[in-house]
Amino acid sequence: MRTSIATVCLSGGLVEKLHACSDAGFDGVEIMDADLIGAMESPEEIRALCARLGLSIDLFQPFRDLEGVADDVFADNLRRAEAKFAVMERLGADTILVCSNAGTATIDDDDVAAAQLGALADAAAKRGIRIAYEALAWGRFVDDYRHAWRIVQLADRPNLGVCLDSFHILSRGHDPAAIEEIDGDKIFFLQLADAPALDMDVLSWSRHHRLFPGEGDFALTDFLAHVLRAGYTGPLSLEVFNDTFRQTDVVRTAGHARRSLTWLADRTAAANGWTDDLLGEPQVARGIDFIEIAGADLTAVDETLERLGFAFGGRHRSKRVRLWTAGEARIILDEQVRDETPRLTGIGLMVDDADAAVDRAVALGAPAAFRRTYAGEQELRGVASPDGTVVYWSDRPADTSWITEFEGGSPGSGACESGVVDHANVGYRWQDFDEAVLFASSVLSLTTQSSADVPGPQGLVLSQVMRTEDGVVRLPMNLAPPTAPVPDRHVAVRCDDVVAAARAARAAGLDFLRIPENYYDDLAAQFDLDPDLLAELRELDLLYDRDGSGGEFIHFYTPTIGGVFFELVERRGGYDGYGAASAPVRLAMQRRASASA
Amino acid sequence: MRTSIATVCLSGGLVEKLHACSDAGFDGVEIMDADLIGAMESPEEIRALCARLGLSIDLFQPFRDLEGVADDVFADNLRRAEAKFAVMERLGADTILVCSNAGTATIDDDDVAAAQLGALADAAAKRGIRIAYEALAWGRFVDDYRHAWRIVQLADRPNLGVCLDSFHILSRGHDPAAIEEIDGDKIFFLQLADAPALDMDVLSWSRHHRLFPGEGDFALTDFLAHVLRAGYTGPLSLEVFNDTFRQTDVVRTAGHARRSLTWLADRTAAANGWTDDLLGEPQVARGIDFIEIAGADLTAVDETLERLGFAFGGRHRSKRVRLWTAGEARIILDEQVRDETPRLTGIGLMVDDADAAVDRAVALGAPAAFRRTYAGEQELRGVASPDGTVVYWSDRPADTSWITEFEGGSPGSGACESGVVDHANVGYRWQDFDEAVLFASSVLSLTTQSSADVPGPQGLVLSQVMRTEDGVVRLPMNLAPPTAPVPDRHVAVRCDDVVAAARAARAAGLDFLRIPENYYDDLAAQFDLDPDLLAELRELDLLYDRDGSGGEFIHFYTPTIGGVFFELVERRGGYDGYGAASAPVRLAMQRRASASA
């Protein structure tokens, strides 16, 4: 698999972009005309730089509004094209992208379009240049790749083929199966982009909201399989217009982009039984092994967990690390850091083959995490996620796992013995979010479940749930507006009887996040609740939700300690959500608590 | 005119919002149910607080998914409603907004909807509560205000009327003229929102992109006139869901919101010859009197202006202020500040009646600017714009104006004697932008011309042009992403022969913003330019644009000095734009220059 990327995907100047593409391991680039125009370096310098960096210039793009026009306009278009061909010769680029006419086309006639594209191809042929004709989703008369292919066949020139772009095809809902009817050697170029399912004009969607493969809602493995089955042998190239990636660090975004292609090639190969491009088998998590919280002084967390009904699981025999458990929910407190603010810093996942999981993660470009291991201790391998949280994988049974390294735990299991980690809720900075979605989908093999905008007192918070199919691992990912604070992280532990757990915690002196009386008045209005249950919810600051099929969710929150807080939840009758309806109340109360702290 | 605002427009908690609404001078509020639910204060406390703050509770909202449902669902809906009526009694709110059913409606039958709304109204009547029924733009069966009105007529209850929302009507392109066919006393409530013209699903458009009146593309004065002509006498109330205003400072946003209603009432009254709500006559600027740049040491600006061909206009006789002129373009340099960074801090406008302009601005809530004036000096009155830039108005002829206070200017007019300020380009922070648009439309009587996304090396920059109809005053307003630096400001001076001016400036030793060779290669491709002109452009680092009708724009930039730079422009043949096509090159070169500085 050869990989390429359009320079328009990245921030900065052209030279910076090229360095970043090379560092990220791309084999080539598509040079965006505007990036060259805005560069002080001559085409010859760019050509030489690409050669030194080991980047081929796979495409020069775009050339707009060529075909379907009157003769005099076409004559001027040919003149424009000759000038660009001259630039391409200086660059050493041999393929140019010609988009279907979206602006100046006046003639809806395939013969005219074919004749004009043919004339362009003949002019290009004299310089050894190939034309890749692409149907823009908003082309005036040509907006479907099948139509572009018909015109290319009509024109019938050896140096004229099509460019396929997943966005232009999938955004319009066009069936990609017909790609297999195109001669593979007439597919001159392939551009890949994912995108969220949005209901808006396709031009704005394309210009602002494209994503790297694995981050959106397009069925890109199917798409790519059609292209490869057609016999396409050129590079897989990314063309992603995205307002965020235009701003994020160019080196990091290039690396992120490159990983998306590794993932896509792997998943496409796996889905089709091809052995090329296959990474190791994805290791779908069978459970959450532990959650790690780090901070210089975690006494307040100890206190909260004890009152919450966790049992003390002991101290690590050689490190300043403690373990708390509630049934199968294990929380590790790590004081081996200087950071004063307690934070959620690690997640352990249980898989069938931990080494395979790590190897796959590293193959996907995730940096291996360093963890100092002493003699006789279990080596726990992991990688850093884009925001720095470390993910560890373990495949050992409990009696040989890292748990055995903890000593001096209290006997007994605590009040919360039915516990299991229900979900870990992670807040991201705006510049890390999309990359984190790709990390969750590619490295953690999670899938997107749902997303919602939660109104908070400082703006809308986007909450996107990534999870295993069976719901054993659930990671709701939160993104606040770039100008608001990054949402705090929290761990939600599920138990069989949250009311009893809340009562016990209250008796143990736990502070609860206080919930307004008005909230309970609203619950009564919404759900016609049993008065005893309502009284209990009200008394214990419990939150409640019910889904369409009658499933129920009861939960409560501890106050925030530094950058982390805890939630205890109970799911009844197959409730599968996260109480999003009560999230605005939670956010309002947390803000109130932090203002008075 | 009574004014009101929905609490959902603002950031923060309910109590903060109410204080801000009162401070901003609103007469009442719409209380959003979710804001009450997320408040610790009881409905009685909120009621008492509103009473103390002098705010009436004009509406409680929203109640969703009531009508068009099966009997058992409706019975539960009535139960839900009774619970909300109880809250309203505690709040002292007598009108509730009922939105047309968007979720659970299964019966498309006006008789059923009318019967159910009638039953709701009867239940409400027992508590003295009125029902304001609103057609949501995305209602399942009722999505048009005329349809909602038919159902209200069918139900025929004294305490059942309609709520009209400009967004729901204008977003769907429904003709608001039929509002006049509704009995004025059956229009129970009026919600006003502006919005940009966007081509996206109406629900997302409504939830994220509404604006305050005067900031978007809706014809709100026409809309309001129809409502008032129908005989509506209730409050003008704002309901604006906007991702930005959910984050901006609540006090400031409330003030901003309040001003939008003052403007709307004034413009509606003016358009219809009504004397109520009329402010003074808008003073459309007849020219730019001066631009003020302030900084502790402006020597570098002196040097640049002199080399650019400006004539020294003298020193102020009593202040540390200097004047430079190029024909009618006057730039005042003010060193009476401590700020080290030269910035564009003031704009002087020439109008027919300066006092009327200031009085109108103050009536629109703009804070009067303080300017120390000594005996015998002209008092120059002005107001501060949302970002702090001061706008001054003058109506004196030059021989009696502030210009006479400058002494010791050089004789002669400089090389740039045909100069006039073409435009002043102001960069805004994300939280100031919408308010600045309203300031420009209401206080400065400018209109929106066009907007464009300009790709810069650190993200897209939105450029929205505000101008007088005749183009004498043009203020392109720039907004970078919230996470990027605020764009620098600049002054563009127009002259008759920019090539000659550039040559003279080059001879005088002026540094130009350097433009890449590649840019000129592209110009040649695009425009088939005369080779001599192209050579001249290339030699002098001039930028070029041509519009559809052959009008031409030639311009160049100085380097940035602190936070300001200058542009010299020439318009040929009616060119009416700003060279947006070359803006990405300019941004790239400025970033390059600042990186190497």
Side-chain angles (χ1 to χ4, degrees), chain B residues 464-484:
Chain B
Q464 177 162 341
V465 178
M466 305 290 299
R467 54 175 277 181
T468 53
E469 294 287 340
D470 61 8
V472 160
V473 174
R474 300 166 185 256
L475 300 180
M477 297 171 44
N478 286 354
L479 176 66
T483 47

PDB file of all heavy atoms in Angstrom, chain B residues 464-484:
ATOM      1  N   GLN B 464     -16.278  39.303   6.987  1.00  0.00           N
ATOM      2  CA  GLN B 464     -17.625  39.802   6.682  1.00  0.00           C
ATOM      3  C   GLN B 464     -17.543  41.302   6.466  1.00  0.00           C
ATOM      4  O   GLN B 464     -17.080  42.034   7.340  1.00  0.00           O
ATOM      5  CB  GLN B 464     -18.581  39.466   7.831  1.00  0.00           C
ATOM      6  CG  GLN B 464     -19.978  40.024   7.599  1.00  0.00           C
ATOM      7  CD  GLN B 464     -21.028  39.365   8.479  1.00  0.00           C
ATOM      8  OE1 GLN B 464     -20.826  38.287   9.015  1.00  0.00           O
ATOM      9  NE2 GLN B 464     -22.162  40.016   8.614  1.00  0.00           N
ATOM     10  N   VAL B 465     -17.991  41.753   5.309  1.00  0.00           N
ATOM     11  CA  VAL B 465     -17.869  43.169   4.969  1.00  0.00           C
ATOM     12  C   VAL B 465     -19.127  43.920   5.388  1.00  0.00           C
ATOM     13  O   VAL B 465     -20.237  43.556   5.012  1.00  0.00           O
ATOM     14  CB  VAL B 465     -17.639  43.350   3.454  1.00  0.00           C
ATOM     15  CG1 VAL B 465     -17.553  44.838   3.122  1.00  0.00           C
ATOM     16  CG2 VAL B 465     -16.367  42.634   3.019  1.00  0.00           C
ATOM     17  N   MET B 466     -18.931  44.980   6.177  1.00  0.00           N
ATOM     18  CA  MET B 466     -20.019  45.899   6.539  1.00  0.00           C
ATOM     19  C   MET B 466     -19.701  47.232   5.861  1.00  0.00           C
ATOM     20  O   MET B 466     -18.570  47.710   5.944  1.00  0.00           O
ATOM     21  CB  MET B 466     -20.086  46.099   8.057  1.00  0.00           C
ATOM     22  CG  MET B 466     -20.201  44.829   8.883  1.00  0.00           C
ATOM     23  SD  MET B 466     -21.788  43.952   8.764  1.00  0.00           S
ATOM     24  CE  MET B 466     -22.948  45.175   9.388  1.00  0.00           C
ATOM     25  N   ARG B 467     -20.691  47.843   5.224  1.00  0.00           N
ATOM     26  CA  ARG B 467     -20.397  49.059   4.459  1.00  0.00           C
ATOM     27  C   ARG B 467     -21.628  49.933   4.312  1.00  0.00           C
ATOM     28  O   ARG B 467     -22.748  49.500   4.548  1.00  0.00           O
ATOM     29  CB  ARG B 467     -19.877  48.683   3.069  1.00  0.00           C
ATOM     30  CG  ARG B 467     -20.811  47.742   2.329  1.00  0.00           C
ATOM     31  CD  ARG B 467     -20.327  47.505   0.925  1.00  0.00           C
ATOM     32  NE  ARG B 467     -20.751  48.585   0.051  1.00  0.00           N
ATOM     33  CZ  ARG B 467     -20.485  48.637  -1.247  1.00  0.00           C
ATOM     34  NH1 ARG B 467     -19.747  47.692  -1.810  1.00  0.00           N
ATOM     35  NH2 ARG B 467     -20.931  49.626  -1.977  1.00  0.00           N
ATOM     36  N   THR B 468     -21.368  51.178   3.903  1.00  0.00           N
ATOM     37  CA  THR B 468     -22.488  52.017   3.483  1.00  0.00           C
ATOM     38  C   THR B 468     -22.878  51.591   2.071  1.00  0.00           C
ATOM     39  O   THR B 468     -22.065  51.022   1.336  1.00  0.00           O
ATOM     40  CB  THR B 468     -22.092  53.511   3.462  1.00  0.00           C
ATOM     41  OG1 THR B 468     -20.902  53.658   2.672  1.00  0.00           O
ATOM     42  CG2 THR B 468     -21.821  54.022   4.865  1.00  0.00           C
ATOM     43  N   GLU B 469     -24.108  51.878   1.713  1.00  0.00           N
ATOM     44  CA  GLU B 469     -24.585  51.492   0.376  1.00  0.00           C
ATOM     45  C   GLU B 469     -23.651  52.017  -0.712  1.00  0.00           C
ATOM     46  O   GLU B 469     -23.360  51.336  -1.695  1.00  0.00           O
ATOM     47  CB  GLU B 469     -25.993  52.058   0.123  1.00  0.00           C
ATOM     48  CG  GLU B 469     -27.087  51.480   1.005  1.00  0.00           C
ATOM     49  CD  GLU B 469     -27.471  50.053   0.644  1.00  0.00           C
ATOM     50  OE1 GLU B 469     -27.184  49.626  -0.508  1.00  0.00           O
ATOM     51  OE2 GLU B 469     -28.030  49.359   1.518  1.00  0.00           O
ATOM     52  N   ASP B 470     -23.177  53.272  -0.532  1.00  0.00           N
ATOM     53  CA  ASP B 470     -22.364  53.893  -1.583  1.00  0.00           C
ATOM     54  C   ASP B 470     -20.893  53.477  -1.515  1.00  0.00           C
ATOM     55  O   ASP B 470     -20.103  53.900  -2.345  1.00  0.00           O
ATOM     56  CB  ASP B 470     -22.491  55.426  -1.511  1.00  0.00           C
ATOM     57  CG  ASP B 470     -22.003  55.989  -0.176  1.00  0.00           C
ATOM     58  OD1 ASP B 470     -21.433  55.220   0.646  1.00  0.00           O
ATOM     59  OD2 ASP B 470     -22.207  57.197   0.061  1.00  0.00           O
ATOM     60  N   GLY B 471     -20.536  52.676  -0.515  1.00  0.00           N
ATOM     61  CA  GLY B 471     -19.163  52.177  -0.444  1.00  0.00           C
ATOM     62  C   GLY B 471     -18.161  53.193   0.071  1.00  0.00           C
ATOM     63  O   GLY B 471     -16.961  52.939   0.055  1.00  0.00           O
ATOM     64  N   VAL B 472     -18.641  54.329   0.556  1.00  0.00           N
ATOM     65  CA  VAL B 472     -17.719  55.344   1.068  1.00  0.00           C
ATOM     66  C   VAL B 472     -17.071  54.876   2.370  1.00  0.00           C
ATOM     67  O   VAL B 472     -15.900  55.155   2.634  1.00  0.00           O
ATOM     68  CB  VAL B 472     -18.470  56.682   1.242  1.00  0.00           C
ATOM     69  CG1 VAL B 472     -17.740  57.602   2.200  1.00  0.00           C
ATOM     70  CG2 VAL B 472     -18.657  57.346  -0.113  1.00  0.00           C
ATOM     71  N   VAL B 473     -17.846  54.143   3.162  1.00  0.00           N
ATOM     72  CA  VAL B 473     -17.285  53.530   4.371  1.00  0.00           C
ATOM     73  C   VAL B 473     -17.404  52.026   4.226  1.00  0.00           C
ATOM     74  O   VAL B 473     -18.485  51.500   3.952  1.00  0.00           O
ATOM     75  CB  VAL B 473     -18.021  54.010   5.643  1.00  0.00           C
ATOM     76  CG1 VAL B 473     -17.514  53.246   6.870  1.00  0.00           C
ATOM     77  CG2 VAL B 473     -17.834  55.506   5.824  1.00  0.00           C
ATOM     78  N   ARG B 474     -16.287  51.353   4.375  1.00  0.00           N
ATOM     79  CA  ARG B 474     -16.241  49.893   4.272  1.00  0.00           C
ATOM     80  C   ARG B 474     -15.434  49.354   5.441  1.00  0.00           C
ATOM     81  O   ARG B 474     -14.289  49.750   5.636  1.00  0.00           O
ATOM     82  CB  ARG B 474     -15.530  49.468   2.980  1.00  0.00           C
ATOM     83  CG  ARG B 474     -16.167  49.955   1.682  1.00  0.00           C
ATOM     84  CD  ARG B 474     -15.180  49.762   0.535  1.00  0.00           C
ATOM     85  NE  ARG B 474     -15.665  50.306  -0.728  1.00  0.00           N
ATOM     86  CZ  ARG B 474     -16.151  49.559  -1.728  1.00  0.00           C
ATOM     87  NH1 ARG B 474     -16.204  48.244  -1.608  1.00  0.00           N
ATOM     88  NH2 ARG B 474     -16.567  50.131  -2.845  1.00  0.00           N
ATOM     89  N   LEU B 475     -16.044  48.443   6.182  1.00  0.00           N
ATOM     90  CA  LEU B 475     -15.338  47.832   7.305  1.00  0.00           C
ATOM     91  C   LEU B 475     -15.379  46.310   7.178  1.00  0.00           C
ATOM     92  O   LEU B 475     -16.311  45.677   7.673  1.00  0.00           O
ATOM     93  CB  LEU B 475     -15.981  48.243   8.639  1.00  0.00           C
ATOM     94  CG  LEU B 475     -16.022  49.729   8.990  1.00  0.00           C
ATOM     95  CD1 LEU B 475     -16.706  49.924  10.345  1.00  0.00           C
ATOM     96  CD2 LEU B 475     -14.624  50.317   9.035  1.00  0.00           C
ATOM     97  N   PRO B 476     -14.425  45.704   6.507  1.00  0.00           N
ATOM     98  CA  PRO B 476     -14.367  44.242   6.535  1.00  0.00           C
ATOM     99  C   PRO B 476     -13.996  43.800   7.952  1.00  0.00           C
ATOM    100  O   PRO B 476     -13.029  44.289   8.535  1.00  0.00           O
ATOM    101  CB  PRO B 476     -13.247  43.897   5.543  1.00  0.00           C
ATOM    102  CG  PRO B 476     -13.012  45.153   4.750  1.00  0.00           C
ATOM    103  CD  PRO B 476     -13.366  46.277   5.673  1.00  0.00           C
ATOM    104  N   MET B 477     -14.824  42.917   8.511  1.00  0.00           N
ATOM    105  CA  MET B 477     -14.610  42.447   9.877  1.00  0.00           C
ATOM    106  C   MET B 477     -14.110  41.013   9.821  1.00  0.00           C
ATOM    107  O   MET B 477     -14.730  40.163   9.199  1.00  0.00           O
ATOM    108  CB  MET B 477     -15.930  42.517  10.635  1.00  0.00           C
ATOM    109  CG  MET B 477     -16.434  43.955  10.738  1.00  0.00           C
ATOM    110  SD  MET B 477     -18.110  44.098  11.405  1.00  0.00           S
ATOM    111  CE  MET B 477     -18.016  42.954  12.748  1.00  0.00           C
ATOM    112  N   ASN B 478     -12.992  40.759  10.477  1.00  0.00           N
ATOM    113  CA  ASN B 478     -12.373  39.431  10.397  1.00  0.00           C
ATOM    114  C   ASN B 478     -12.468  38.682  11.708  1.00  0.00           C
ATOM    115  O   ASN B 478     -12.244  39.243  12.775  1.00  0.00           O
ATOM    116  CB  ASN B 478     -10.890  39.565  10.030  1.00  0.00           C
ATOM    117  CG  ASN B 478     -10.720  39.936   8.571  1.00  0.00           C
ATOM    118  OD1 ASN B 478     -11.684  39.980   7.820  1.00  0.00           O
ATOM    119  ND2 ASN B 478      -9.488  40.218   8.185  1.00  0.00           N
ATOM    120  N   LEU B 479     -12.779  37.406  11.584  1.00  0.00           N
ATOM    121  CA  LEU B 479     -12.892  36.543  12.753  1.00  0.00           C
ATOM    122  C   LEU B 479     -12.088  35.274  12.505  1.00  0.00           C
ATOM    123  O   LEU B 479     -12.383  34.512  11.590  1.00  0.00           O
ATOM    124  CB  LEU B 479     -14.362  36.180  12.977  1.00  0.00           C
ATOM    125  CG  LEU B 479     -14.640  35.194  14.108  1.00  0.00           C
ATOM    126  CD1 LEU B 479     -14.291  35.812  15.441  1.00  0.00           C
ATOM    127  CD2 LEU B 479     -16.087  34.738  14.084  1.00  0.00           C
ATOM    128  N   ALA B 480     -11.071  35.078  13.324  1.00  0.00           N
ATOM    129  CA  ALA B 480     -10.304  33.837  13.237  1.00  0.00           C
ATOM    130  C   ALA B 480     -10.947  32.813  14.171  1.00  0.00           C
ATOM    131  O   ALA B 480     -11.768  33.167  15.008  1.00  0.00           O
ATOM    132  CB  ALA B 480      -8.858  34.096  13.634  1.00  0.00           C
ATOM    133  N   PRO B 481     -10.591  31.529  14.031  1.00  0.00           N
ATOM    134  CA  PRO B 481     -11.115  30.544  14.976  1.00  0.00           C
ATOM    135  C   PRO B 481     -10.723  30.943  16.396  1.00  0.00           C
ATOM    136  O   PRO B 481      -9.692  31.602  16.596  1.00  0.00           O
ATOM    137  CB  PRO B 481     -10.405  29.239  14.578  1.00  0.00           C
ATOM    138  CG  PRO B 481      -9.877  29.460  13.213  1.00  0.00           C
ATOM    139  CD  PRO B 481      -9.641  30.938  13.076  1.00  0.00           C
ATOM    140  N   PRO B 482     -11.540  30.542  17.381  1.00  0.00           N
ATOM    141  CA  PRO B 482     -11.277  30.960  18.770  1.00  0.00           C
ATOM    142  C   PRO B 482      -9.901  30.557  19.261  1.00  0.00           C
ATOM    143  O   PRO B 482      -9.370  31.157  20.186  1.00  0.00           O
ATOM    144  CB  PRO B 482     -12.354  30.234  19.586  1.00  0.00           C
ATOM    145  CG  PRO B 482     -13.203  29.484  18.647  1.00  0.00           C
ATOM    146  CD  PRO B 482     -12.764  29.735  17.252  1.00  0.00           C
ATOM    147  N   THR B 483      -9.320  29.543  18.654  1.00  0.00           N
ATOM    148  CA  THR B 483      -8.040  29.038  19.126  1.00  0.00           C
ATOM    149  C   THR B 483      -6.871  29.620  18.352  1.00  0.00           C
ATOM    150  O   THR B 483      -5.726  29.254  18.591  1.00  0.00           O
ATOM    151  CB  THR B 483      -8.034  27.517  18.988  1.00  0.00           C
ATOM    152  OG1 THR B 483      -8.511  27.185  17.686  1.00  0.00           O
ATOM    153  CG2 THR B 483      -8.957  26.893  20.007  1.00  0.00           C
ATOM    154  N   ALA B 484      -7.142  30.501  17.421  1.00  0.00           N
ATOM    155  CA  ALA B 484      -6.066  31.133  16.640  1.00  0.00           C
ATOM    156  C   ALA B 484      -5.903  32.580  17.106  1.00  0.00           C
ATOM    157  O   ALA B 484      -6.776  33.125  17.770  1.00  0.00           O
ATOM    158  CB  ALA B 484      -6.424  31.090  15.152  1.00  0.00           C
TER     159      ALA B 484
END
